[in-house]
Amino acid sequence: MSPSPDIHPVDPDVAANARIDRDAYERLYAESVADPERFWGRVGERLEWMRTPTRIKDVDFDARNLHIRWYADGELNASVNCLDRHLEARGDKTALVFEPDDPEHGAQHISYRALHERVCKLANALRSLGVRKGDRVTIYLPMIPEAAVAMLACARVGAIHSVVFGGFAANSIADRVADCESKLIITADEGRRGGRTVPLKANVDAALKLPGTNSVETVLVVRHTGAAVDMQMPRDRWYDAVTKDQPAQCEPERMNAEDPLFILYTSGSTGKPKGVLHTTGGYLVYASYTHELVFDLREDDVYWCTADVGWVTGHSYIVYGPLANGATALMFEGVPNHPDTSRFWQVVDKHQVTIFYTAPTAIRALMRDGDGPVKRTSRSSLRLLGSVGEPINPEAWRWYYEVVGDSRCPVVDTWWQTETGGIMISPLPGATDLKPGSATRPFFGVRPALVDTNGAILEGEAEGNLVILDSWPGQMRTVYGDHQRFIDTYFRTYPGTYFSGDGCRRDADGDYWITGRVDDVINVSGHRIGTAEVESALVSHPKVAEAAVVGFPHDIKGQGIYAYVTLLAGEMSSEELRKELVAHVRSEIGPIATPDHLQWAPGLPKTRSGKIMRRILRKIAENAPDQLGDTSTLADPSVVQSLVDERLGR
Ligand code: 6R9
């Protein structure tokens, strides 16, 4: 039987040289789920342990007794695994290639030896500033090598880092600092993106004026653009000054496998972001193993993931996975369209990138400019392409495969989450037939299942909510400071399983197709935004009575943000006020939460018990008023008509 045109069978040449071919996948997958203890015990040997673990898996998904422990008696240090153990064989190998926003500024190549030295110096400086094992350190940096150095220096001294994305504003920084009571913040004078500057230090200053941030004793400031910034002594210290005279060696802290490595805040269904906590051993095993196999890593690869270190993709697949594997990873400070829309491919050619990992939103944005900016470049070094962050539509997949990869490079569409720590469902280039739009098969040890809304497991070809039946080493361990929320969010909906929050379809071949979030999270350009966060930013404005926020399909971003706003009685709507509210959200949360549409709503569709019917608001936002469905349970059905009229400009 010949394959249907929508299937791209494994390339025999790729399979012949790959670490995992089809047979190996089937065999190892079966083993990984039949005997996880043995499987992950063996995989765990890839790390350098200070004390070899003997207890591999200790897990119970039952909400009454929930616990998740991996390698629990093992001891290790993540920075030693990412740096020290490579020094002998790979000391002079490039660990990080830094490509700045402005191509004229020239790239930097940082060897494993040089990176080790920079990390040790900062780690010593952190200790001298009183940072101890278990302390929290917030990192608010642009995409510069110091971001990776800062993460690894925290890991070296056992401090728990919390990286806050540079696109967040003062309020969001303050919330995240307050929640984990950070002792120290590492930031820069300014960031650079697409020829513009971002006032990072000024944002930190504003954040530290807000309540709840008193825990911060020190702010380390990297001099990046050289802009004049306000230094408040003795709180603020120049990074250069505190690191320059530190010794180039630093004794690593012995960490238990289950000691926290980092906290990363992500949006959920409520207004308050969750501090997703990852621990050291299982996370590092999982990040490095998935990185090696999904990207079929080779010693001479130049690997480029375009994510920001402020997101989990940057944590697992720019810093921890690649460096634990001794790979060469590229860090890019800029954006895809600066100085022009060939930039990604110019960087690929300049650094002879072999593996390229990006998000569908970037692909769609570049696709809009046609093939020219791509075809102007060679890209002959590329051998593998990856996608992450949101469902990739088949048209974008095909453009990526055919135009960017010249129909030569397999595309790995990797489904995973901040919570999962690493890739969960993805093709392996030598083992899996590709289907545009499908993340295909589970990674080793991952047991996905689809459930209906009653929690019944669906077999065969089906569509439902995606749950995972058993633990994997990279799984988050708790919500920082709120273990109950961890249990309630992930383990109560479908008891005995981890609930992902995503909808998913499984086709007749057993391949998985993620359909998107089924909760109140919007995925804007691959960034998770909670509708409740945007709503609370809107209602914090003195003229707003009520707000409801939903996602709507957006050609480039995947989803856009649509806000319905009810003003306080007596307030008049105006174009000026609309702009003011949009600006208010940007300053409350950050530019990534900018509403694409803001519609005045004299009333919101509510049930008689007062619940906002988002399903209806989503349909109006989508411009599909003919699909509103049953509105008879509304307290006042007439509000719907007025919202539809306003939407249609009637
Ligand atoms: C890694 C990351 C997680 C959410 C996830 C899902 C969506 C991520 C995807 C994908 C379809 C893919 N998502 N990868 N959807 N196909 N390949 O993005 O983590 O920021 O926590 O977002 O992103 O909806 O639940 P995070």
Side-chain angles (χ1 to χ4, degrees):
M1 204 179 80
S2 67
S4 91
D6 261 325
I7 299 182
H8 298 250
V10 178
D11 179 333
D13 289 341
V14 173
N17 297 307
R19 288 170 187 268
I20 307 285
D21 62 12
R22 206 184 298 265
D23 290 346
Y25 173 77
E26 298 297 344
R27 180 170 43 79
L28 287 168
Y29 183 78
E31 188 196 319
S32 70
V33 296
D35 192 350
E37 191 84 25
R38 194 175 103 191
F39 181 85
W40 289 112
R42 196 176 62 223
V43 175
E45 291 168 12
R46 62 190 291 107
L47 297 187
E48 187 176 297
W49 298 87
M50 293 163 167
R51 177 164 182 230
T52 308
T54 62
R55 288 163 47 203
I56 306 304
K57 180 183 180 215
D58 176 12
V59 173
D60 192 344
F61 269 10
D62 185 332
R64 286 161 301 190
N65 181 39
L66 186 96
H67 62 270
I68 301 162
R69 291 180 210 116
W70 286 89
Y71 309 104
D73 60 346
E75 287 175 357
L76 76 166
N77 183 286
S79 82
V80 169
N81 277 279
C82 291
L83 301 167
D84 305 47
R85 70 171 166 146
H86 304 312
L87 292 182
E88 206 175 295
R90 299 183 176 112
D92 296 320
K93 179 175 176 177
T94 299
L96 291 178
V97 180
F98 172 62
E99 173 68 23
D101 185 50
D102 183 343
E104 306 287 307
H105 287 175
Q108 291 171 32
H109 293 80
I110 303 169
S111 68
Y112 272 94
R113 202 182 315 286
L115 189 62
H116 176 262
E117 182 173 326
R118 285 167 71 162
V119 168
C120 285
K121 286 187 162 212
L122 178 59
N124 286 323
L126 291 176
R127 279 206 179 117
S128 76
L129 291 163
V131 175
R132 297 284 172 266
K133 178 174 175 175
D135 286 345
R136 277 78 59 212
V137 170
T138 294
I139 299 174
Y140 182 67
L141 282 170
M143 279 291 289
I144 56 177
E146 283 80 1
V149 172
M151 291 162 74
L152 293 167
C154 287
R156 195 155 193 99
V157 303
I160 307 167
H161 59 70
S162 160
V163 182
V164 175
F165 175 58
F168 280 118
N171 270 301
S172 300
I173 305 169
D175 287 347
R176 287 157 175 76
V177 163
D179 185 75
C180 69
E181 299 171 289
S182 284
K183 194 167 188 177
L184 185 140
I185 300 182
I186 306 177
T187 189
D189 47 7
E190 291 179 325
R192 255 198 206 100
R193 266 173 75 80
R196 289 198 291 239
T197 55
V198 186
L200 298 177
K201 173 63 165 62
N203 289 348
V204 169
D205 290 342
L208 294 185
K209 292 202 175 80
L210 296 169
T213 56
N214 286 340
S215 55
V216 176
E217 294 168 8
T218 310
V219 178
L220 287 188
V221 186
V222 176
R223 211 188 290 271
H224 180 48
T225 64
V229 293
D230 186 25
M231 293 295 276
Q232 193 178 306
M233 299 301 175
R235 186 194 71 183
D236 300 347
R237 312 282 296 269
W238 289 108
Y239 180 102
D240 268 349
V242 300
T243 52
K244 133 173 135 295
D245 298 325
Q246 294 291 342
Q249 299 291 331
C250 172
E251 194 56 38
E253 200 71 38
R254 272 178 101 91
M255 304 297 283
N256 180 273
E258 284 298 336
D259 281 336
L261 179 61
F262 65 84
I263 301 166
L264 187 55
Y265 287 89
T266 190
S267 295
S269 302
T270 74
K272 190 174 181 285
K274 294 183 283 252
V276 169
L277 184 108
H278 281 287
T279 57
T280 309
Y283 171 80
L284 203 59
V285 168
Y286 198 74
S288 66
Y289 190 50
T290 48
H291 178 255
E292 180 177 288
L293 296 192
V294 172
F295 299 106
D296 195 24
L297 190 70
R298 301 182 196 155
E299 190 59 46
D300 55 0
D301 272 318
V302 177
Y303 160 88
W304 180 17
C305 165
T306 68
D308 192 285
V309 288
W311 309 114
V312 74
T313 307
H315 282 59
S316 300
Y317 299 116
I318 297 178
V319 180
Y320 287 112
L323 297 180
N325 288 333
T328 296
L330 191 142
M331 262 183 107
F332 177 47
E333 186 186 15
V335 295
N337 57 359
H338 176 80
D340 60 56
T341 51
S342 283
R343 184 71 191 277
F344 270 180
W345 326 120
Q346 289 156 359
V347 173
V348 165
D349 285 350
K350 177 173 173 186
H351 297 292
Q352 292 294 289
V353 170
T354 57
I355 305 171
F356 180 74
Y357 190 30
T358 196
T361 186
I363 299 168
R364 287 191 299 264
L366 293 171
M367 196 172 136
R368 198 179 42 174
D369 283 341
D371 303 359
V374 188
K375 292 299 178 195
R376 230 176 271 145
T377 61
S378 155
R379 290 156 288 107
S380 59
S381 57
L382 288 175
R383 65 172 185 83
L384 186 65
L385 301 172
S387 173
V388 60
E390 50 175 319
I392 181 165
N393 46 312
E395 306 72 57
W397 192 101
R398 287 193 196 96
W399 188 81
Y400 195 30
Y401 180 77
E402 286 162 14
V403 179
V404 175
D406 288 319
S407 304
R408 187 171 42 79
C409 309
V411 174
V412 290
D413 174 3
T414 63
W415 175 81
W416 60 293
Q417 311 177 294
T418 306
E419 293 89 336
T420 70
I423 294 165
M424 299 288 280
I425 301 181
S426 170
L428 299 183
T432 321
D433 295 345
L434 306 173
K435 293 178 185 171
S438 172
T440 71
R441 297 299 172 102
F443 189 74
F444 300 135
V446 174
R447 293 175 54 201
L450 303 180
V451 295
D452 65 18
T453 41
N454 300 317
I457 292 194
L458 306 169
E459 304 290 344
E461 212 179 326
E463 182 160 350
N465 289 338
L466 178 62
V467 299
I468 311 290
L469 299 177
D470 199 357
S471 185
W472 61 99
Q475 184 169 25
M476 75 182 282
R477 300 299 197 259
T478 191
V479 171
Y480 187 80
D482 196 351
H483 195 62
Q484 195 56 44
R485 188 169 174 201
F486 176 58
I487 298 170
D488 294 345
T489 308
Y490 303 104
F491 299 95
R492 282 223 195 271
T493 325
Y494 303 109
T497 74
Y498 165 83
F499 176 42
S500 66
D502 278 319
C504 183
R505 182 167 69 81
R506 186 174 46 225
D507 67 20
D509 300 328
D511 287 317
Y512 289 84
W513 302 68
I514 309 295
T515 52
R517 302 290 306 191
V518 294
D519 55 9
D520 291 327
V521 171
I522 324 182
N523 193 326
V524 184
S525 301
H527 301 159
R528 279 166 68 168
I529 316 270
T531 52
E533 287 171 68
V534 184
E535 288 165 4
S536 64
L538 284 166
V539 296
S540 74
H541 189 280
K543 294 184 178 164
V544 173
E546 199 169 28
V549 170
V550 296
F552 73 101
H554 188 287
D555 284 348
I556 305 287
K557 301 179 186 180
Q559 280 190 297
I561 301 178
Y562 200 107
Y564 297 87
V565 171
T566 309
L567 294 174
L568 286 172
E571 296 294 346
M572 291 291 287
S573 63
S574 67
E575 200 40 45
E576 207 171 68
L577 182 56
R578 188 198 306 268
K579 286 193 184 127
E580 187 178 317
L581 292 179
V582 170
H584 181 69
V585 174
R586 288 172 65 94
S587 76
E588 285 290 305
I589 305 175
I592 58 166
T594 309
D596 297 276
H597 286 287
L598 194 150
Q599 179 175 335
W600 305 117
L604 291 168
K606 290 184 185 165
T607 60
R608 280 175 211 116
S609 61
K611 235 173 141 8
I612 294 174
M613 301 266 291
R614 288 164 186 287
R615 170 177 62 80
I616 292 173
L617 293 175
R618 274 194 284 267
K619 288 296 172 197
I620 297 173
E622 259 173 54
N623 229 340
D626 49 327
Q627 296 166 27
L628 293 182
D630 182 15
T631 55
S632 62
T633 56
L634 289 175
D636 175 8
S638 74
V639 295
V640 173
Q641 197 52 51
S642 81
L643 290 176
V644 170
D645 288 349
E646 163 96 19
R647 173 77 173 105
L648 300 176
R650 285 201 290 241

